[in-house]
Amino acid sequence: MTPEPEPEPEREPEREPEPFRPHPPAVWSGPQRRPVMWAPPVVPARGYEQGTRIRRYLPVAVATADLAVSAVPMPLRVLDVGCGDGWLLDELILRVPQAELHVGVDPVRPVLAAAGETVDRRARLVRSAAEALPFDDASFDLVLVLLSLAQWEHPRAGVAELARVVTDHGKIIIVDRVSGRGAVGGIDVLLNDAGLVVGQVTTLRRSSLLRPRIQAFIAFR
């Protein structure tokens, strides 16, 4: 007699792939930072209390966010120094919602209070001057400064702090006016003096005579 063929083993039904879910934002626990020689002033620089964002510069915030994600496509921890009302933070959260942490710092309490009412709830807001950031070394892989460098009491100390908190493979992006009223000169020198390399300079806005008005400096270790 011909033996009957053995029955084929039952196959498990194929499982549908689980939909992608971005990681929930981590809660910043506020680690103790190392002591610094410089302490932030009690009274902020003149004009800082009015915030660092002017409505006509909203397109610059959008352009800065686009430039940031092209420089660091998948940042895990993002820091906005001098965040003002949080426009840039909102633009960054739209582009990299999967980041573990979006942090904005500003030294002016009323500015932070106003930002807390409008900025995306995933952002963490911290009151601090740029010259004494309350974060551990190498805490962020994307650090941004948008139109606030001119209001810092000690720009050299502030840029040194940016260099301290960025990771070895992270990027620092400073965007500010380089000509006209309120221009900031020597941004590349400040970055170099902090031990950073300026890898790219991009013009985001020009004057009526086509002179660079606002530029972005992208630096790394």
Side-chain angles (χ1 to χ4, degrees):
M1 297 178 62
T2 304
E4 297 182 0
E6 295 182 1
E8 295 183 0
E10 295 184 0
R11 297 181 179 179
E12 295 184 1
E14 296 183 359
R15 297 180 181 179
E16 295 184 0
E18 295 184 1
F20 170 76
R21 296 184 177 88
H23 296 290
V27 176
W28 183 258
S29 56
Q32 295 295 321
R33 64 180 301 280
R34 67 182 183 184
V36 294
M37 298 299 295
W38 186 88
V42 175
V43 180
R46 184 178 181 183
Y48 212 123
E49 68 276 2
Q50 298 175 3
T52 59
R53 307 293 181 265
I54 303 175
R55 185 166 298 278
R56 66 176 179 271
Y57 288 117
L58 177 58
V60 179
V62 173
T64 300
D66 289 338
L67 185 65
V69 296
S70 67
V72 186
M74 297 289 287
L76 294 179
R77 293 191 166 201
V78 179
L79 175 64
D80 179 10
V81 180
C83 65
D85 50 28
W87 283 356
L88 181 57
L89 275 175
D90 279 338
E91 294 296 328
L92 291 167
I93 290 173
L94 285 174
R95 288 159 177 78
V96 285
Q98 75 283 356
E100 294 176 359
L101 198 61
H102 298 85
V103 180
V105 301
D106 201 284
V108 185
R109 192 184 301 276
V111 172
L112 277 184
E117 296 180 359
T118 58
V119 76
D120 191 295
R121 294 301 177 186
R122 286 168 287 185
R124 307 292 174 179
L125 301 177
V126 179
R127 184 169 179 252
S128 171
E131 297 90 340
L133 296 173
F135 310 115
D136 287 342
D137 296 356
S139 294
F140 300 92
D141 48 5
L142 179 57
V143 180
L144 301 107
V145 179
L146 175 61
L147 300 176
S148 70
L149 186 61
Q151 283 80 42
W152 295 5
E153 283 285 324
H154 299 277
R156 188 177 301 275
V159 174
E161 281 289 88
L162 305 183
R164 182 182 66 80
V165 301
V166 74
T167 61
D168 289 338
H169 302 289
K171 298 285 180 64
I172 294 172
I173 302 177
I174 297 181
V175 177
D176 222 310
R177 305 169 188 86
V178 295
S179 66
R181 185 177 180 181
V184 179
I187 295 177
D188 54 344
V189 176
L190 289 173
L191 291 165
N192 290 333
D193 288 349
L196 300 166
V197 177
V198 178
Q200 179 181 341
V201 179
T202 300
T203 299
L204 301 183
R205 175 167 291 186
R206 295 182 180 273
S207 69
S208 58
L209 299 177
L210 300 182
R211 292 180 57 195
R213 176 65 56 84
I214 297 177
Q215 288 187 320
F217 296 78
I218 303 178
F220 53 87
R221 288 184 175 179

